[in-house]
Amino acid sequence: MHNGLVTVFGGSGFVGKQVVRALVRDGWRVRVPMRSPHLGHELRVLGSVGQVQLVQANLRFPASVEAALDGADACVNLVALLYESGRQTFESLHVDGAHTIAAACAARGITNMAHISAIGADPDAKSDYARTKGEGEAVILGHLPTADIMRPSIIFGEGDGFFTRFASMAQLSPALPLIGGGKTKFQPAYVCDVADAVAAVIKRGTSGQIYELAGSQTYSFEQLMRFMLDAIDRRRLLLPVPWFAAMPMGLAGEIAGAVPFVEPFLTRDQVENLKVDNVASGDYPGFSDLGITPDTIEAIVPDYLERFRKYGQFHEDRAPKSSR
């Protein structure tokens, strides 16, 4: 028995795959627009035969977005960038892309929409990422006042861009940088909890609410780095990098990222974003209001970082963590 059809933009990404899984579990049919649908074959097996449909669409072509929404009962927008590359800019995806999707939803009378933003989204932010996230929220609500805005903190889970990324760096480098001294605070949210939150608001029907999806515990950037190193049982020097020195590092990262298929290890905009704590304000509802008890990094992260240990699952700790 299906509840209806949900179109999920960004459904092939790290968070998107879990959102598709959660929606399928709730009985929805799911349509995933992709620039290259032939690359999304793993999404088809998340549901029963025919429950997940892949279609071709590109946010730069409104007609394709409109076609992807034909017959849909609800919509989820997960499209986002962590760094800019070529025509893929913060402005083009976070703002223009959000406008294209929301306008197409409004034209079709689709009022049940979840838009994934980020804690720290603010049209007046100094970081282009946070600024365009804030502008994207305003664009969405301008077209669809009933859309729910989901603002997660950094998201962790297998294949994430945080713990997995730094664990990979720790395999090759004897030292890791603590940008701004490692004092920035975070409330990491588990990817499956974020996906469950999206599925929950779609199931009940969105109403123009903002949710802050933050984990139950707060950590500094340095604490997260030490936790990651403990999880992979590697000793690495953590080097505090003051803000004035981090900007040239960000520029170097952008230059390295100009090489095809190379992700920048850091950008100047990410440095700017790190100057602001990534924690819930407490002004909006969160996981608990959706009946979700968030998982902790201690319960989830060590298992998927196991492959970064010297002998993987056969690795033995050199010493009890309390003695390090």
Side-chain angles (χ1 to χ4, degrees), residues 26 33 57 112 144 181 211 214 225 229 244 281 286 291:
D26 279 354
N112 189 6
L144 293 176
Y211 293 89
M225 289 298 97
L229 291 173
F244 72 85
S281 66

Side-chain angles (χ1 to χ4, degrees), residues 178-180 241-252 266-268 271:
L178 293 177
I179 307 301
V241 178
W243 296 117
F244 72 85
M247 278 299 183
M249 287 181 60
L251 176 60
L266 186 70
T267 68
R268 286 171 292 179
V271 172

Side-chain angles (χ1 to χ4, degrees), residues 49 82 178 222 226 306:
V49 176
L82 292 177
L178 293 177
E222 180 178 1
R226 295 193 182 279
E306 186 177 64

Side-chain angles (χ1 to χ4, degrees), residues 121-134:
D122 182 352
D124 297 321
K126 292 183 178 179
S127 158
D128 288 338
Y129 171 85
R131 175 183 57 78
T132 54
K133 278 289 191 178

Side-chain angles (χ1 to χ4, degrees), residues 14 155-164 189-192 300-301 304-305:
F14 167 60
I155 302 175
F156 68 91
E158 187 166 4
D160 62 34
F162 191 82
F163 290 113
T164 303
Y190 182 36
V191 63
C192 291
I300 302 295
V301 174
Y304 70 80
L305 290 189

Side-chain angles (χ1 to χ4, degrees), residues 4-321:
L5 173 64
V6 184
T7 297
V8 181
F9 291 92
S12 61
F14 167 60
V15 181
K17 291 176 182 176
Q18 300 305 325
V19 169
V20 171
R21 189 189 303 274
L23 291 169
V24 163
R25 185 187 62 226
D26 279 354
W28 295 92
R29 289 182 295 119
V30 179
R31 180 183 293 156
V32 182
M34 299 177 61
R35 284 183 296 171
S36 303
H38 64 282
L39 299 179
H41 52 83
E42 74 280 5
L43 292 169
R44 296 185 187 275
V45 300
L46 296 180
S48 58
V49 176
Q51 193 174 2
V52 178
Q53 176 191 16
L54 307 182
V55 298
Q56 201 286 328
N58 188 318
L59 293 186
R60 291 188 291 112
F61 300 99
S64 69
V65 173
E66 293 165 5
L69 286 163
D70 282 346
D73 300 287
C75 174
V76 177
N77 179 31
L78 293 134
V79 179
L81 284 178
L82 292 177
Y83 60 90
E84 297 180 312
S85 178
R87 288 184 295 185
Q88 301 289 91
T89 66
F90 295 139
E91 196 77 28
S92 66
L93 266 67
H94 296 170
V95 184
D96 297 340
H99 164 76
T100 300
I101 293 170
C105 283
R108 280 156 181 73
I110 300 170
T111 59
N112 189 6
M113 179 182 184
H115 173 72
I116 284 58
S117 184
I119 284 180
D122 182 352
D124 297 321
K126 292 183 178 179
S127 158
D128 288 338
Y129 171 85
R131 175 183 57 78
T132 54
K133 278 289 191 178
E135 292 174 352
E137 290 183 1
V139 165
I140 292 287
L141 293 175
H143 286 288
L144 293 176
T146 57
D148 280 355
I149 306 297
M150 321 296 284
R151 295 177 178 172
S153 183
I154 58 167
I155 302 175
F156 68 91
E158 187 166 4
D160 62 34
F162 191 82
F163 290 113
T164 303
R165 179 183 182 188
F166 284 108
S168 180
M169 289 175 60
Q171 285 186 307
L172 304 173
S173 174
L176 296 174
L178 293 177
I179 307 301
K183 293 180 172 56
T184 307
K185 291 182 170 55
F186 300 89
Q187 285 181 272
Y190 182 36
V191 63
C192 291
D193 294 331
V194 173
D196 287 345
V198 173
V201 300
I202 291 295
K203 184 175 182 178
R204 67 166 58 169
T206 59
S207 58
Q209 183 61 261
I210 294 176
Y211 293 89
E212 290 184 326
L213 305 181
S216 58
Q217 299 182 52
T218 301
Y219 309 83
S220 69
F221 185 79
E222 180 178 1
Q223 287 175 319
L224 292 177
M225 289 298 97
R226 295 193 182 279
F227 168 77
M228 178 275 296
L229 291 173
D230 270 343
I232 64 175
D233 196 31
R234 292 182 185 270
R235 294 184 179 127
R236 294 293 183 266
L237 182 63
L238 294 177
L239 291 175
V241 178
W243 296 117
F244 72 85
M247 278 299 183
M249 287 181 60
L251 176 60
E254 291 169 30
I255 294 172
V259 178
F261 308 111
V262 175
E263 293 187 10
F265 58 86
L266 186 70
T267 68
R268 286 171 292 179
D269 194 69
Q270 288 171 347
V271 172
E272 194 65 55
N273 209 26
L274 281 169
K275 293 180 180 179
V276 181
D277 289 340
N278 198 264
V279 297
S281 66
D283 296 333
Y284 303 101
F287 282 122
S288 61
D289 299 276
L290 295 170
I292 298 169
T293 301
D295 277 302
T296 64
I297 60 173
E298 290 81 5
I300 302 295
V301 174
D303 283 345
Y304 70 80
L305 290 189
E306 186 177 64
R307 63 191 176 95
F308 295 101
R309 296 160 75 90
K310 188 172 183 180
Y311 299 110
Q313 61 179 313
F314 303 106
H315 179 85
E316 293 184 5
D317 288 350
R318 291 167 297 190
K321 294 178 182 177

